[in-house]
Amino acid sequence: MHRRLVISAVTVALCGSTLAGTATSASATTEDATTTAAAVDCRRVKCVALTFDDGPVADTQRLLRILKERNVQVTFYLVGKNVQRYPSTVRTAAAAGHQIGNHSWDHADLTRLSSAAVKSNIARADTAIKRATGKKPTTFRAPYGAQNATVRAAAARPLVHWSVDTLDWKYRDTARLIRVVKADTRPGDIVLMHDIHKTTVDAVPGIINGLKARGFHFVTVDQLFAPNRLPSGKVTYHNRAAYRP
């Protein structure tokens, strides 16, 4: 009996060391990724913020694998009811260092709703995202880009829209999407795409390769504007003025 207890104690100690080492290694990897991203100064190098709206959907997991393989961080503007359906996907995205933004509960045109309804719609999405990630999103993107004073006041945070509209939802053409993003993107741009379309996810490797060839660094929306903070209740489209080669 004594011998069995000693062996068990040794086994627990060894397992504990292994788990601690794994945790330390995972923590170090996350730290390295964060440090690398934070080290990018978009006032000195060409930066672009790729953003994906309307998810998550099942194919968002494939997009996350593509981004991980290429060490690229993006910003997701998520619809609350989809977050409720795929919470583990949202957790994975947040853990990988991608920025998570609020894109309303159900993608309604908020300008057609009462003030109380707008607040409720945004709050429901906040709750779903916080349950999945532990954090309330700090930026908001209005569905369809439709916003007014009521929407801005209800959001009570920066509204982030886009400076490159790829129209990926309209054309559903992978080759066209790669061409448009590569040709139209300038330093400081915020690119709008939708990971709910397979053709868009298919285009992401080509988009990354094309922009890397032009010397771009991929950052989240917050990183694009760092060290500045976006103003609450105002709409932001790009940060082109920051780049000073």
Side-chain angles (χ1 to χ4, degrees):
M1 173 67 93
H2 177 70
R3 186 167 176 238
R4 283 201 300 271
L5 288 171
V6 170
I7 291 171
S8 296
V10 171
T11 303
V12 169
L14 287 172
C15 288
S17 299
T18 303
L19 288 171
T22 303
T24 303
S25 173
S27 175
T29 302
T30 303
E31 237 175 69
D32 289 346
T34 304
T35 303
T36 302
V40 175
D41 185 346
C42 295
R43 297 166 297 182
R44 298 288 177 265
V45 300
K46 294 196 287 187
C47 290
V48 59
L50 301 181
T51 66
F52 295 89
D53 283 15
D54 298 356
V57 293
D59 209 25
T60 303
Q61 285 285 5
R62 180 166 68 100
L63 173 58
L64 290 173
R65 289 193 295 272
I66 292 169
L67 297 172
K68 182 178 180 180
E69 288 166 3
R70 290 158 177 78
N71 194 29
V72 167
Q73 290 183 331
V74 303
T75 302
F76 290 96
Y77 281 99
L78 303 182
V79 172
K81 67 178 185 180
N82 291 339
V83 174
Q84 192 174 65
R85 187 176 180 189
Y86 297 100
S88 62
T89 298
V90 181
R91 278 193 292 274
T92 299
H98 301 296
Q99 185 173 340
I100 307 299
N102 184 322
H103 194 42
S104 82
W105 171 255
D106 56 0
H107 209 275
D109 181 345
L110 301 180
T111 62
R112 297 177 178 271
L113 304 181
S114 68
S115 176
V118 174
K119 288 178 182 177
S120 174
N121 194 298
I122 294 172
R124 288 182 72 188
D126 277 342
T127 299
I129 292 169
K130 188 172 182 180
R131 281 177 181 163
T133 67
K135 294 181 179 179
K136 175 182 171 180
T138 57
T139 63
F140 176 74
R141 174 172 285 171
Y144 313 106
Q147 53 81 29
N148 56 21
T150 299
V151 173
R152 294 192 298 273
R157 70 199 79 179
L159 280 74
V160 177
H161 286 183
W162 54 86
S163 49
V164 177
D165 187 350
T166 62
L167 298 177
D168 60 334
W169 59 271
K170 180 178 181 180
Y171 293 102
R172 315 284 180 91
D173 183 330
T174 296
R176 177 193 175 278
L177 179 55
I178 294 170
R179 286 197 308 272
V180 167
V181 177
K182 184 178 177 181
D184 293 355
T185 301
R186 289 184 278 164
D189 270 337
I190 299 171
V191 180
L192 169 64
M193 292 179 282
H194 302 79
D195 53 310
I196 60 173
H197 303 304
K198 179 183 180 296
T199 47
T200 295
V201 177
D202 289 344
V204 172
I207 288 170
I208 292 171
N209 291 342
L211 291 179
K212 276 188 175 179
R214 290 184 56 201
F216 277 92
H217 295 256
F218 301 91
V219 296
T220 65
V221 165
D222 279 351
Q223 291 162 357
L224 184 67
F225 291 88
N228 297 323
R229 296 177 67 87
L230 291 173
S232 180
K234 293 188 177 180
V235 183
T236 299
Y237 298 91
H238 56 73
N239 194 27
R240 292 175 185 158
Y243 180 53
R244 293 288 184 271

